[in-house]
DNA sequence: CGAGGGGTTGATCTCCTTCAACGGAGGTGG
DNA sequence: CCACCTCCGTTGAAGGAGATCAACCCCTCG
């Protein structure tokens, strides 16, 4: 599937868009960029001029401390835009890196701007998307700030599982997660050594296995409980949303899904 | 100053708006609500129908764990909208609470929607505002996940200081912060006892005093260093932004500041 | 074959928590 | 006006979750 279609699919999870709006998104032009594992896509201080749509692989945003310690603040899987907010705030002060070999589509801001100004509902969909991001950030604060190691790690796996499923990349109990234990440590604010021990506990206590970039959750309910996980913050369940138009209803508009090849 | 004007002022820190757009924001109608300290304004599971502009006092968003522990995920001071994203995502799954006695203006989503659809640049300003929020969230993850207690607390004080200054509520080294040590603990993922000890260290080591809801920073540079604080993530320094219009430039538009009383 | 990255294990250390108690300020009611 | 309560800040002692340090193994890859 082409990256634009992946991205559209993701937007449609939460936003209702007309056929015309969908076409506009599908017809975005960008340059495909392959990124090696551990290479940074964006670095602090940059003023970026394009946004990145992840089309393959795993990408993460992180902050680096002076002592070298790094803290991942979010993961982005295929279909996610790791950078969309850069349209309204192009100056970044964090890094985005490829966790494993990845492919991204770089879409110039110029085009996204046009989209936003021509199609207000697309701007709102982008904003909504950013809101989900923020909601995940907030949950991570709670995760890292107020939970024990085992719960943090369990929570992370639950999140990635559900997001992968929603993105059509697997099921919540069996999905690819190309991160090392060390990267999980960076995401959960723990050390690799301790992550290792906890993952062994989780393996022993049945709920999951994590090996070679694949997560297999044997007992979803247990893992939910261990991670104190509640899915609402991902905003996946609600039906896609759209603000009622100014003049009244959206009568006469079509919201059918546009097949990806129809561009 | 009326809350709408405070809010506008905040938006103008980062977004450039025409006189007309500014007027539209100033003419928002809402209901003023006084909230006692420790009372919740929004609770998880709610589907809110209005957004809250903080006009006086201190407000915070938090998550509650099953064991009763709570994690604050952000503070909102006068002028901030603690809830703006609810326009595009009205279902909330966290709480918003008044840290001290506070006054908020509740603006119905209906009006904000109208604003967004009639004035695309306002939608973008709102999105930009949400992006700042997200940026702060991300920084908090790094703060809580990768720093020691002293640095976390120092960082928090730096942030609130700068934000207060930007909002015209004091200077970065002398500002009101009506939180208890216990609430600082909830924000930094520490225990009240430990926060107390660390604050004493900070007092002894000169950089700051924090008593009776007022922070006095005696040595800003030291505090920055201790907290490993870098202000860019607040997006305060850059000049206000505006996407270039579709047709071309913004020729003929006025971006002068509208006096608050001129509505 | 050697190098390097990732996973695993054990021993030790430490930052922070937990538990428990006390003092002071402010508010309330007798 | 004082007794009383509650919330907040403060202090001490003990305990624990996780960090740190240092190996070692396995696999892949050049």
């Amino acid at each position: 599937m082409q990256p634009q279609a992946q991205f559209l699919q993701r937007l449609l999870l939460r936003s209702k868009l007309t056929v015309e709006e969908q076409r506009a998104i599908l017809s975005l032009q960008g340059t495909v960029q392959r990124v090696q594992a551990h290479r940074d896509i964006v670095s602090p201080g940059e003023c970026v001029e394009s946004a990145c749509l992840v089309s393959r692989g795993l990408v993460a945003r992180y902050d680096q401390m002076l002592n070298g310690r790094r803290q991942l603040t979010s993961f982005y899987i295929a279909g996610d835009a790791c950078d969309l907010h850069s349209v309204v705030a192009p100056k970044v002060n964090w890094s985005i890196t490829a966790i494993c070999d990845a492919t991204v589509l770089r879409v110039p801001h110029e085009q996204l701007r046009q989209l936003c100004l021509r199609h207000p509902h697309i701007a709102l969909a982008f904003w909504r998307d950013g809101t989900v991001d923020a909601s995940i950030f907030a949950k991570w604060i709670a995760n890292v700030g107020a939970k024990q190691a085992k719960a943090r790690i369990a929570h992370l796996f639950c999140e990635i599982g559900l997001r992968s499923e929603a993105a059509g990349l697997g099921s919540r109990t069996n999905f690819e997660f190309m991160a090392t234990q060390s990267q999980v440590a960076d995401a959960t604010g723990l050390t690799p050594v301790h992550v290792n021990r906890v993952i062994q506990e989780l393996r022993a206590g049945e709920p999951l296995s994590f090996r070679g970039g694949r997560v297999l959750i044997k007992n979803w309910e247990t893992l939910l409980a261990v991670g104190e996980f509640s899915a609402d913050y991902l905003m996946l369940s609600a039906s896609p949303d759209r603000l009622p138009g100014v003049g009244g209803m959206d009568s006469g508009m079509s919201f059918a899904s546009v097949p990806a090849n129809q561009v």
Side-chain angles (χ1 to χ4, degrees), chain A:
Chain A
M1 183 160 37
Q2 48 168 337
Q4 291 88 342
Q6 293 175 299
F7 178 52
L8 172 60
Q9 196 181 4
R10 185 203 142 105
L11 288 179
L12 289 176
L13 284 175
R14 297 165 182 117
S15 300
K16 210 166 153 190
L17 296 174
T18 66
V19 168
E20 192 196 344
E21 287 155 356
Q22 293 181 45
R23 286 231 174 79
I25 287 175
L26 288 174
S27 60
L28 282 170
Q29 300 290 325
T31 60
V32 173
Q33 185 182 351
R34 283 168 190 277
V35 192
Q36 284 190 331
H38 307 295
R39 283 262 185 286
D40 282 4
I41 301 174
V42 175
S43 302
E46 263 185 69
C47 192
V48 298
E49 296 185 342
S50 58
C52 287
L53 310 184
V54 181
S55 121
R56 186 185 58 93
L58 184 63
V59 161
R61 169 170 166 173
Y62 73 93
D63 256 35
Q64 183 114 19
M65 311 295 129
L66 292 178
N67 65 8
R69 180 156 187 177
R70 66 172 51 178
Q71 173 71 44
L72 304 195
T73 56
S74 53
F75 286 111
Y76 299 99
I77 61 178
D80 289 348
C82 55
D83 228 350
L84 201 52
H85 44 257
S86 65
V87 173
V88 286
K91 186 90 180 287
V92 299
N93 40 69
W94 54 82
S95 303
I96 295 186
T97 190
I99 295 292
C100 60
D101 287 357
T103 310
V104 300
L105 181 75
R106 277 188 176 273
V107 182
H109 285 163
E110 186 48 31
Q111 284 185 56
L112 295 164
R113 272 177 211 142
Q114 303 279 337
L115 232 56
C116 288
L117 292 173
R118 286 213 183 106
H119 306 279
H121 285 284
I122 290 186
L124 293 173
F126 286 176
W127 180 16
R128 186 173 291 120
D129 202 74
T131 298
V132 174
D133 251 44
S135 173
I136 296 178
F137 283 145
K139 191 58 86 178
W140 279 41
I141 297 174
N143 207 31
V144 170
K147 287 188 198 156
Q148 309 239 106
K150 202 194 274 191
R152 290 187 212 178
I153 293 172
H155 194 278
L156 176 62
F157 284 133
C158 289
E159 174 182 318
I160 304 294
L162 277 185
R163 286 173 56 190
S164 296
E165 182 174 291
L169 298 170
S171 82
R172 66 184 67 181
T173 56
N174 183 354
F175 55 92
E176 193 179 52
F177 183 51
M178 294 297 285
T180 63
Q181 291 185 359
S182 185
Q183 288 160 335
V184 171
D186 286 343
T188 49
L190 301 165
T191 53
V193 172
H194 200 229
V195 166
N196 178 280
R197 294 196 230 265
V198 171
I199 286 185
Q200 285 178 61
E201 271 185 68
L202 287 172
R203 268 204 285 263
E206 274 201 39
L208 100 151
S209 94
F210 171 46
R211 217 178 261 284
R214 178 154 288 271
V215 179
L216 238 140
I217 299 175
K218 291 167 189 152
N219 194 331
W220 178 254
E221 293 302 329
T222 307
L223 199 64
L224 287 183
V226 170
E228 234 180 89
F229 185 90
S230 161
D232 358 290
Y233 77 101
L234 295 173
M235 302 187 192
L236 287 168
S237 51
S239 48
D241 208 359
R242 181 183 182 88
L243 300 196
V246 173
M249 293 304 96
D250 297 308
S251 55
M253 290 185 185
S254 165
F255 296 100
S257 247
V258 177
N261 52 6
Q262 195 194 118
V263 184

